[in-house]
Amino acid sequence: VLEAYKQGLRPALGYELNPWLLCLANYRAWKAGYHGKVSFLKRDLWKVDLSDCHNVIVFLAPSVKPPLASKLLAELPEDARVVAGRYPFPCWSPSCTLGQGLEQVWAYDIREVRQ
């Protein structure tokens, strides 16, 4: 979320259920000088409506990717982009990739994934 904000993506908003990780995220935002500019909410990603999101960044385990792929395809607008860190979406072809190993990310344009 912090990097998304640094890259000019607004609003920069994160969802986390784990209270410790939520506290850590807010601390890191404060330490980076982004307090009040980025938000982290204690919300269940599975219950959040993503229909107004145009940029989604996920760091989730491979086992979660297939059901998340279905949610994203059902809810995201046509011009949305999804960036996955550490693990790709197994059935999607990325528009581009960057990095390697634990630092690798995969970017997907929803319009292309739906085709």
Side-chain angles (χ1 to χ4, degrees):
V1 174
L2 298 179
E3 188 59 36
Y5 183 83
K6 288 179 198 176
Q7 297 299 321
L9 300 176
R10 310 283 193 284
L13 173 66
Y15 299 114
E16 178 57 62
L17 278 177
N18 182 315
W20 297 107
L21 293 177
L22 187 64
C23 184
L24 179 61
N26 281 309
Y27 170 75
R28 287 183 174 167
W30 171 81
K31 187 175 176 185
Y34 297 132
H35 180 72
K37 298 176 182 174
V38 300
S39 300
F40 296 95
L41 303 176
K42 186 176 181 185
R43 303 269 308 269
D44 185 341
L45 179 62
W46 301 106
K47 296 177 182 175
V48 173
D49 177 11
L50 301 174
S51 62
D52 63 346
C53 294
H54 294 272
N55 296 285
V56 175
I57 303 166
V58 295
F59 291 92
L60 297 168
S63 62
V64 180
K65 294 290 174 77
L68 180 59
S70 297
K71 177 178 176 58
L72 295 173
L73 287 172
E75 295 181 16
L76 291 179
E78 196 70 12
D79 63 342
R81 173 167 266 207
V82 176
V83 175
R86 300 249 170 117
Y87 306 104
F89 282 90
C91 296
W92 291 5
S93 295
S95 304
C96 64
T97 64
L98 185 64
Q100 33 182 287
L102 293 178
E103 300 298 319
Q104 188 167 7
V105 296
W106 294 261
Y108 306 91
D109 292 318
I110 290 298
R111 180 177 287 118
E112 292 177 17
V113 172
R114 286 182 176 141
Q115 293 175 354

